[in-house]
Structure formats: C-alpha cells, structure tokens
Amino acid sequence: MSRKIIIAGAGIGGLSAALALNLAGFDVHVLEQSDALAEVGAGIQLSPNAMHVMQKLGLSENVLSRGFLPTSATMRHFRTAKEYLRMPLGNVIEKKFGAPYVHIHRADLHRVLHQAALSRGVQISVNTRVKRYQNLQIEGVNQVQVHLEDGREMIAAALIGADGIRSAVKKQMLPLASVEFTGQVAWRGTIDAQKVPRNLVKPEANLWVGPGAHLVSYYVRGGKEINVIAVQEQSRWTDTRWSVPGDVKVLRAAFGNWHSDVTQLLSKVEECFLWGLFASRPLDTWVDGHVALLGDACHPMLPFVAQGAAMAIEDSACLGQALSSNESINSGLSVYQSRRYARVTKVQRMAAKNASIYHMQGVSSRAKLLALKAVNSLSSDI
Ligand code: FAD
C-alpha cells in the first residue's frame, strides 16, 4: 500500500498524529490553512495518559523542560476557600501511572511538536486549506484525492481530518453533524508570576467552584507565568468568531464577590480573550473510506476534564498503531475508530456532567467521588 498520508490541520492533534504516523513509517504531509503555525496564548494541562504518548514519541523531556509539575489538584469553595477535594499529583501520580501530570503553555507544546515533526521529515505546508476529498481507485488501488481551496489536488493513501471544531472534512463526511453552544463561556489569560504576590497561587491545579461559574489557575513556563481560565454560564453566543478580545473589567466584575485570592489574582490580568465553548454529540462515524477524523474535528467537548487535547493525542497514538498493524488503510481506520470511540464518548459525557459539579449544583460527597473517579479513570493508559 502507498505510505503517503495527508493530515488537514496543524493543531496539537494534527501534529501529534503526524509524529505518530511518521514513527509508524508513513510519509506524512500536514496541510495548515493559517499562514503561520501558532497556538492561543494560554496554558494546557497534560495528564499522564497524554504524557504516555509524549514518551512514546520521544518528546517527554522536551515537554517537561518547558512545563510545570503541580503538586496536587484542589477544588475550593468560591467564597470561603473551603477545600472540597485534594488529589495528589507530582510524584504520587507519576509513580501510579508511570508518567507525570504537566502544565504547559500551549505555544510551548505546539513548538515542541512542530520542531520534532520538521526534524523527523514531516512535510508541513501553511497557507493551504483543504476544501473537500474524494475516495477513488487509481489503477485498482483505493486512494483519496484531496482538493485544496486554491484549486490544487493531491493524492494520498489516506486523509486525516484534524481540522478542528469547524472541520471541513467532517462537514463533507457528515453534512448534518453540528456543533452547539454549550451555554458556557471562558475567559483565558496569562499573568507574569512576578507581578503576583508570593503564595497567592499555590503550585497546584487550583479549581475554585461557585454558583454558575468556576475558575482554574496554574503555573506554566517553569513557574514564570500563571494561566487563568474563568468560566461562566451565559445563555447565548452571537459572535460569528469562537473568541473575542475580553474586557478585564467585565471579568473582574463577574467574579467580584469571590474569595480575595481570586479577586486579587484577577486584578493582575492585563489582557484576556473570551471564548464561546462549543461541543457536539458523539458522531455516527469518524471514517469514510480512506478518510478519518481526529481530535476536536470528531469529538469537541467542554474543557471541564481537561481532556480535549489529551484525547486528540491519544487518538494519534492509536491511529499510528492501527494503520501500521493492519493490511489495508480501510481496515486500519476502522480499527482506529472502534478502539477510540467508546473511551472518547465517555470522556465527552464526563466533561458535560462536570458542569453541574463545578457550578455547585450539588457539591456533595457524591460529587467529590465522581470527580475523583473521573480523574483516576482518565489517567489510565491506552
Ligand atoms: P485545533 O486546535 O482546532 O486545530 C485545528 C487546526 O486545523 C488549526 O490549526 C486550524 O487552523 C486548521 N484547519 C482548520 N480547517 C482547516 C482546513 N480546512 N484545512 C487545513 N487546516 C485547517 N485540552 C486538554 O487536554 N487539556 C486542557 O487543559 C484543556 N484546556 C482547555 C481550556 C479551554 C478554555 C478550551 C476551550 C479547551 C481546552 N482543551 C484542553 C481542549 C483543547 O484545547 C482542544 O481539544 C485541542 O486543542 C484540539 O486540538 P485539534 O488539533 O484537534 O484542533
């Protein structure tokens, strides 16, 4: 079979897939619509399940050298700071799962993936937008023809749609599939840690839960920056963009009656973006002939278990393994979907369920147990 695979999208999912497929011996070409490769200016939590894949890709040290290792994850009451939950991370989680729990700036993670892909011979073309595809036979061999926005066409053994929540590949595969506004918005910003009083932010994954809102803060860049995500319920999202520049005054006012640790922290945010949070129901299929979806293109979810990118990274490892150990592309893609579907669907549901826990619709001992169970089961290996 031909070894050429085209990936639409150079996000965390597309680049991880490129590296996993490259490791499996495929000749990979990533097509990215933007004119430069970049990620949003915010942090990301990488749990051990994602770090296992980084280990397999030989990138764990690179990620760790740019990241931050939190000592624990805590859930606190928005006003009293009463601790509802404390879960050890650091050495404890690393010993248990064989990989650490890492906080990293997205731009740093993206750079690690991008540089590794280039140095290992993955071809990456920017300014190249995938428009549609066609499964076809050439001289008796099943292939896929990829049509680009600029009129060019490319042929490959497979096309992987890692083109995010607005995926053009998905739109063709499943014209009726839709993404919906979840009724939640998120402000995201980073703060220079030197500008924040010492000990205001603990070296943890700090989760504050309150009625209709929650806030997460943690260190990135070896402790030099603090990442803040503040989520609030909102009935509508009317902007055609996914994110808009946020107003720090509105952000501070929204959390104005929260604990002084939170209000002090928000007083240091100088710039932020406001994101509408969108998700979709599990799709009927991720595969059409020699085309498959990956990451947010097929399972966009609320970020309330910090697993969207982790699932895309897990998808990538599974895809590499399924394609290299199956006779045909078609059966490899089917195996990929069948191995990933149940786990990803479960995580999508967990993320949706956590909205009620995080927004204090019953912070009971049952809720605490559920949250603990969620983190434990997510961190298991693939
Ligand atoms: P994307 O990042 O959307 O990348 C898609 C790429 O495809 C883009 O570069 C785009 O330009 C390109 N593209 C689009 N269309 C085309 C086309 N037609 N042709 C070519 N290129 C195209 N996840 C975690 O694991 N941990 C966390 O802590 C976490 N926190 C989060 C916090 C917030 C507030 C949010 C909103 C999400 C969070 N997530 C987290 C989820 C995570 O950000 C996403 O799941 C992940 O970034 C998805 O990666 P992706 O590569 O699938 O898609």
Side-chain angles (χ1 to χ4, degrees), residues 106-125:
R106 280 167 184 266
D108 294 342
L109 173 63
H110 199 256
R111 202 168 299 122
V112 167
L113 297 171
H114 183 198
Q115 282 173 356
L118 287 180
S119 70
R120 294 173 193 185
V122 170
Q123 199 182 341
I124 301 178
S125 302

Side-chain angles (χ1 to χ4, degrees), residues 245-266:
D247 183 338
V248 287
K249 288 195 202 113
V250 177
L251 165 61
R252 287 177 198 144
F255 291 81
N257 65 348
W258 284 43
H259 189 269
S260 60
D261 282 7
V262 171
T263 54
Q264 265 196 77
L265 181 66
L266 292 181

